[in-house]
Amino acid sequence: MRSSKAGPEAQPGPLQSAIFGAVLGVDAVGHCLALATIFFTGALSAGLGLATAVFLMSSLCATLALFAFSQFRPALGIAQDTSVAILAPAVGIAALGASGPPQAQVATAFAAIGISAVLSGLAFWLAGRLRLGRLLRMFPYPVAAGFLASSGFLLVYSAIVILTGARSYAAIGAAPSLSGSCPMPGQTAGLGRGRGCGCTSWPIGARSCRWR
Amino acid sequence: MVLVNLIAVLLNMSGVEIAARRDVSENRELRGIGLVNIVVGAFGGTASFMQGGGTIIATRLGVHRAGLVAGHPAVLLVACFLAAQIVAVVPTFVAAGLLMFIGLSMLED
C-alpha cells in the first residue's frame, strides 16, 4: 500500500513555485484588464490598452516591493478593486469634462487615477508613521464588510452596464444635464445608506441621475 | 475612497496573518506600501497593495520564494508589453464577466 506524501516534505520546489507564480500572474492579468475596463469604456476606450499595461505595472511594482520589504514571505501585490467602484464615476466625469481631443481625456483619466493612488499612498504612509495601524484595526468589522460588499455590488452593477451597453461610467460625465427623473432613486439612496457614509453616498446619489 | 483602501489593506493583512499564523508590524507594512503607491501614482498607476487570496494560497502551499519571484513578475512584465494585443483579443463580455466575478467575490466575502 502506498502512503501519500503530506506535510513539509511535499512542499513545491523552485520550478513548481515558478509555475504557480505564473498562474497567479495570468490571474492578475485578467484582474487588471477587468479593472481597466471599468475606467476606460465608452468614450475613453482608446486608453484601455495603456490602462491595462499601467495597472499591470502597478501590480508588478507592488509585488516587487512586497518581496523586498514585507514581513509576509511570500507576499503578492495587485491593483486593488475595492476603491475602483467609487473612483470610476469621478474619473469619468473629470476625463469627459476635459476639453480637447480624446487623448487629452485619456490623459486626464490617468491623472485622476494617479492622484487617487498618491493620496492613498500618503494615507497609508501617514497611518504607518503615526502608528495608527493597530487603532485602525478596531474599525467595526460589520462596517468594514459593508463598505467592501457595497463596492462589490457596484462592480457587479458596472459589469452589467458594460455588458448591456445601455449606460456606462464613461458616459456619466457626457450626459447633458441632471434634469428629468432619476431612473433608480430608491436603489441609489439605499446604496448610499448601505455604505454608511454620507460623503460617499452623496456623489453616488447625485451621479445616478446621469445613468441614463 | 482613501478610507476604503485603508480598510481593505488592513483586512487583507489580517486575513493573511490569520492564514500564516504570525503577527506582523502593520505600521511597517503600511509605510512600505504607502511609499510604493506614491511612486506608482506619480506615473498614473492605480492603488496597489497586498493580494489577500494569492498570498494566503502561496503561504499555505509553502511555495519557494525565489521561484515565485521568478514566475509571477515575469508574467506581469510580459503582459505589460503585450497589453494592447491582449485587449484586442479579449472580448468585452469576458472582461465584464471577470469584473462581475470580482464583484461577486467581494459580496461573498
Side-chain angles (χ1 to χ4, degrees):
Chain A
M1 194 168 73
R2 289 170 60 190
S3 62
S4 60
K5 279 189 176 180
E9 68 273 17
Q11 286 183 346
L15 181 62
Q16 290 165 312
S17 300
I19 294 168
F20 172 75
V23 170
L24 284 181
V26 172
D27 176 54
V29 172
H31 183 93
C32 290
L33 174 61
L35 294 189
T37 304
I38 197 172
F39 285 112
F40 293 87
T41 185
L44 295 175
S45 57
L48 182 58
L50 184 59
T52 307
V54 169
F55 286 11
L56 284 166
M57 193 55 81
S58 303
S59 303
L60 179 61
C61 290
T63 299
L64 292 177
L66 285 169
F67 276 136
F69 75 77
S70 179
Q71 293 165 292
F72 292 112
R73 307 280 177 177
L76 298 168
I78 198 162
Q80 283 302 312
D81 44 25
T82 47
S83 59
V84 161
I86 307 166
L87 186 60
V91 169
I93 289 169
L96 295 170
S99 58
Q103 290 87 348
Q105 294 178 337
V106 170
T108 306
F110 275 115
I113 293 167
I115 288 168
S116 77
V118 170
L119 288 176
S120 295
L122 278 173
F124 295 162
W125 186 81
L126 275 175
R129 186 76 182 165
L130 300 174
R131 300 184 182 281
L132 296 174
R134 188 68 66 181
L135 192 68
L136 284 166
R137 285 202 192 189
M138 293 176 188
F139 205 82
Y141 181 74
V143 178
F147 268 103
L148 298 181
S150 53
S151 294
F153 172 79
L154 283 174
L155 287 181
V156 172
Y157 182 80
S158 306
I160 294 167
V161 163
I162 292 167
L163 280 173
T164 56
R167 304 169 188 137
S168 70
Y169 273 122
I172 293 167
S177 72
L178 281 169
S179 61
S181 61
C182 187
M184 35 177 204
Q187 187 178 350
T188 51
L191 190 62
R193 282 196 293 273
R195 284 206 160 266
C197 181
C199 61
T200 53
S201 64
W202 172 76
I204 291 167
R207 283 167 199 151
S208 66
C209 297
R210 295 184 176 182
W211 289 359
R212 282 151 61 85
Chain B
M1 182 206 64
V2 169
L3 182 65
V4 172
N5 273 337
L6 208 46
I7 291 168
V9 75
L10 288 169
L11 280 178
N12 281 3
M13 219 182 285
S14 299
V16 177
E17 266 185 346
I18 291 166
R21 294 190 180 89
R22 60 175 295 200
D23 278 331
V24 295
S25 165
E26 61 275 328
N27 294 319
R28 183 185 159 187
E29 297 282 327
L30 280 171
R31 282 198 304 272
I33 206 67
L35 288 175
V36 172
N37 277 289
I38 290 168
V39 173
V40 161
F43 292 97
T46 187
S48 308
F49 42 86
M50 189 184 290
Q51 180 186 14
T55 305
I56 288 171
I57 294 169
T59 306
R60 287 255 170 95
L61 289 177
V63 295
H64 198 274
R65 190 162 169 263
L68 195 65
V69 172
H72 190 261
V75 171
L76 292 184
L77 194 62
V78 170
C80 265
F81 291 108
L82 298 175
Q85 286 84 352
I86 292 169
V87 166
V89 297
V90 174
T92 305
F93 72 86
V94 173
L98 284 167
L99 197 60
M100 197 176 284
F101 173 73
I102 294 166
L104 288 173
S105 304
M106 286 169 72
L107 274 172
E108 190 191 1
D109 290 342

